[in-house]
Amino acid sequence: MGAFKELREFQLDVLKEVGNIGAGHAATALSTLLNKPVDMQVPKVRMLPFEEISASIGGEEQVVLAIFLRVEGEAPGNMFFILALESAKKLLKNLVGLQQVSEEGEYTELELSALNEIGNILAGSYLSSLADFTKLHLSPTVPSLAIDMAGAVLSFGLLQFGQMGDQALLIETKFLEGNHEVEGHFFLIPDPESFDKIFTALGVDGL
Amino acid sequence: MIQNAFIKVGMADLNVTQRSGVLKTTGLGSCVGLTLYDAKAKVAGMAHVMLPASEIAKEGTLNIAKYADTAVPELIERMQKLGAAASRMEAKMAGGAQMFAFAANHDTMRIGPRNVESCKEQLKKFGVPLKAEDTGGNYGRTIEFDCDTGILVIRSVQHGVKEL
């Protein structure tokens, strides 16, 4: 674990590029879905104590919509696509074919299914571009959706890091739909052992 | 009215209090919030357990609050230092959910139920009766344990507030 604390500048840059490429493709996919421009922020690559990971999405008790999938293959990890509840509603409203959007806090089967599929498409484009970029074999599991406290959902992606320490290294990318109605966050949390594989695949020294 | 200040218990953390105070831990998903209480000595303890067994640990210095098999003995010991007796302790627990519905063949996917089982084994080992539990399901919980009353309040997004 000590090695993680000494990530060098260029290694951080490599991981930022991983986030850039992955989330960039996902943002393009979202933009196509919505037929609207989607802006993406510079990815943040940080080693964070478990407690602080949910801070950027409103804290541990903030209720969010989370789509989770496990990345399998040569560099396994966990991926979350997180939307604020208002954003999820607006995303549905903006999508053709779902005019009837139920009241706040309520989601119909159809809406949940649509959101799950959006998560699937976005995470899929994130991962496939990452796989192309690294030439690593990566495949997503079927996504699963939960609407719950940020702390409760994110902790599920920290179990692999939990065996190593009380911090996790994650790649976070935030993106906003053109007029900032929809805000989404991508969290890629590669398993601790996967970082070396990513670095090696990209031709830089590992940890 | 005097507002009790919360004594925060973080993820993979534990804490104890005596006479008064409310122990609180937020955002329990697959983690288990375990509380122990000695009503006579008015000593309470809470642990936010993340993983079932320390044998899987790969960390240099073990965070004993993180694993069920190390957190329970530590919690009992810390409470004993405050005058509690293990023989009078009663336990309550909440959490251990399966946040995402996956094929349950993945071991990590079953981490919630495994955390619950492991906590129960430890309680049995130390002869501490489990008085009440609100575990499992697929939703997150935030819990507060009042050292004055011994009541455990459980809040969740989908199921409101429950008292044990």
Side-chain angles (χ1 to χ4, degrees), chain A residues 61-74:
Chain A
E61 288 190 275
Q62 179 68 43
V63 179
V64 295
L65 187 142
I67 292 153
F68 169 76
L69 50 86
R70 176 98 183 124
V71 181
E72 292 177 335
E74 290 175 284

Side-chain angles (χ1 to χ4, degrees), chain A residues 19 23-24 27 38-44 56-57 81-82 126 171-177 180 182-187:
Chain A
V38 172
D39 297 331
M40 192 186 82
Q41 297 193 341
V42 177
K44 286 182 191 152
S56 63
I57 49 171
F81 174 54
I82 302 223
Y126 191 124
I171 304 168
E172 184 191 352
T173 319
K174 174 176 162 182
F175 60 79
L176 297 154
E177 178 257 355
H180 294 198
V182 177
E183 177 185 322
H185 290 255
F186 262 110
F187 288 86

Side-chain angles (χ1 to χ4, degrees), chain A residues 4 32 54 63 69 73 75 102 112 121 136 138 184 187-188:
Chain A
F4 276 110
T32 311
S54 46
V63 179
L69 50 86
S102 54
L112 290 177
I121 292 169
L136 288 169
L138 300 171
F187 288 86
L188 175 64

Side-chain angles (χ1 to χ4, degrees), chain A residues 30-100:
Chain A
L30 182 62
S31 166
T32 311
L33 272 178
L34 295 174
N35 200 18
K36 279 183 182 165
V38 172
D39 297 331
M40 192 186 82
Q41 297 193 341
V42 177
K44 286 182 191 152
V45 177
R46 290 176 296 178
M47 188 81 191
L48 285 180
F50 294 156
E51 301 289 324
E52 291 171 24
I53 289 173
S54 46
S56 63
I57 49 171
E60 293 190 314
E61 288 190 275
Q62 179 68 43
V63 179
V64 295
L65 187 142
I67 292 153
F68 169 76
L69 50 86
R70 176 98 183 124
V71 181
E72 292 177 335
E74 290 175 284
N78 296 310
M79 178 176 268
F80 291 93
F81 174 54
I82 302 223
L83 285 169
L85 291 185
E86 315 84 71
S87 286
K89 283 287 178 195
K90 282 170 188 151
L91 190 57
L92 287 170
K93 215 174 268 177
N94 287 340
L95 271 180
V96 202
L98 278 178
Q99 310 290 355
Q100 244 353 75

Side-chain angles (χ1 to χ4, degrees), chain A residues 129-168:
Chain A
S129 61
L130 186 55
D132 284 348
F133 176 53
T134 57
K135 303 278 185 294
L136 288 169
H137 173 71
L138 300 171
S139 60
T141 60
V142 176
S144 181
L145 184 146
I147 297 169
D148 217 312
M149 291 181 256
V153 292
L154 281 175
S155 66
F156 201 75
L158 303 176
L159 299 173
Q160 287 79 11
F161 264 101
Q163 300 172 18
M164 317 260 312
D166 297 326
Q167 297 189 310

